[in-house]
Amino acid sequence: MSKVVVVTSGKGGVGKTTTSAAVAAALAVRGYKTVVIDFDVGLRNLDLIMGCERRVVYDLLNVIHGEGSLNQALIKDKRVGNLYILPASQTRDKDALTMEGVSKVIEQLRESFEYIVCDSPAGIEKGAMTAMYLADEALVVTNPEISSVRDSDRIIGMLASKTKRAEEGEDPVNVHLIITRYDPDRVDGGDMLSAEDVCEILAIPFLGAVPESKLVLAASNSGIPVTMAEDCDAGTAYFDIVDRFLGEEVPYRFLDVQKKGFFSRFFGS
């Protein structure tokens, strides 16, 4: 049975698109046929991070409005055989999204894919509400700072009340927490909320923290999902997150300050 997974948050700039790309790529690497959809109509960044911007011919809105078929719009990743991208339109307004049209696209995708990852725009406007409406699972992405956490709390409330599952009285959307841009040194210095603090405030299952890393930006600029980048702690963290999402018991990493060895302390590096 296929699952629709929305990657969402209240605040912009927390790493939703990076997370969507990383999670989708990791699911595909783990053997699941996966498609990731960009719902950020008018901006469209997912194709850049996935490295397929030059291959976009048709997009989500073309499919919804009958201007192209779903097969024409889907872009197959060149690195992982069972990973596909459905890009957003860069020239239209979010009002062109219709719930009926999105529902038809999702139903078509359910016939072929095990995981349908929806990259939601920030906030609570139409694109975000449309992205979450049909979700079975939700990955709430937040930075460890109070305004981001507060906005995420509002999104959690909407996932409990504004989805198809909520309207039809079905089992609620399974909601999970991912903390991005985490820096244990700053937590230790009191400049950043700890993962424990965030978990206590939001009270949803914790999938893991992604450490702050310059390699995330470098991978995005190169069109590579961070889970496909070499020697990257952030990519390792996302694989841990996906494995926990799939039900594996994986020890938590990247939450504590790394203790320096003798030579590091001696030479000050």
Side-chain angles (χ1 to χ4, degrees), residues 48-164:
L48 293 170
I49 291 179
M50 298 298 295
C52 63
E53 68 277 7
R54 296 182 181 179
R55 299 169 60 201
V56 176
V57 179
Y58 294 95
D59 56 53
L60 173 61
L61 285 179
N62 290 139
V63 178
I64 288 173
H65 292 285
E67 299 158 354
S69 70
L70 183 57
N71 285 335
Q72 287 176 309
L74 286 171
I75 301 171
K76 186 175 182 179
D77 189 86
K78 292 182 177 180
R79 296 154 297 202
V80 184
N82 51 352
L83 176 61
Y84 292 75
I85 302 95
L86 180 55
S89 172
Q90 200 171 18
T91 58
R92 298 198 195 184
D93 188 82
K94 290 180 174 64
D95 289 336
L97 275 175
T98 65
M99 195 65 75
E100 181 184 2
V102 170
S103 296
K104 287 180 179 178
V105 171
I106 294 293
E107 287 307 309
Q108 280 185 269
L109 292 171
R110 281 186 184 275
E111 296 174 5
S112 303
F113 291 91
E114 293 168 278
Y115 283 98
I116 302 161
V117 179
C118 302
D119 179 26
S120 170
I124 55 173
E125 42 69 56
K126 187 173 183 179
M129 300 305 293
T130 305
M132 75 167 62
Y133 183 71
L134 297 167
D136 302 309
E137 309 270 350
L139 307 181
V140 176
V141 182
T142 188
N143 291 158
E145 50 99 7
I146 194 64
S147 63
S148 180
V149 174
R150 183 179 65 180
D151 289 349
S152 293
D153 195 35
R154 188 175 183 192
I155 291 296
I156 292 168
M158 290 184 167
L159 287 163
S161 61
K162 301 291 187 181
T163 63
K164 182 180 179 182

Side-chain angles (χ1 to χ4, degrees), residues 14-28:
V14 300
K16 284 187 303 301
T17 301
T18 296
T19 298
S20 297
V23 166
L27 285 168

Side-chain angles (χ1 to χ4, degrees), residues 198-235:
V198 178
C199 290
E200 185 175 345
I201 295 168
L202 297 180
I204 57 175
F206 178 49
L207 287 181
V210 181
E212 180 75 83
S213 172
K214 295 179 181 178
L215 293 178
V216 173
L217 179 59
S220 296
N221 287 339
S222 301
I224 302 171
V226 69
T227 35
M228 294 184 183
E230 295 182 3
D231 300 321
C232 179
D233 283 350

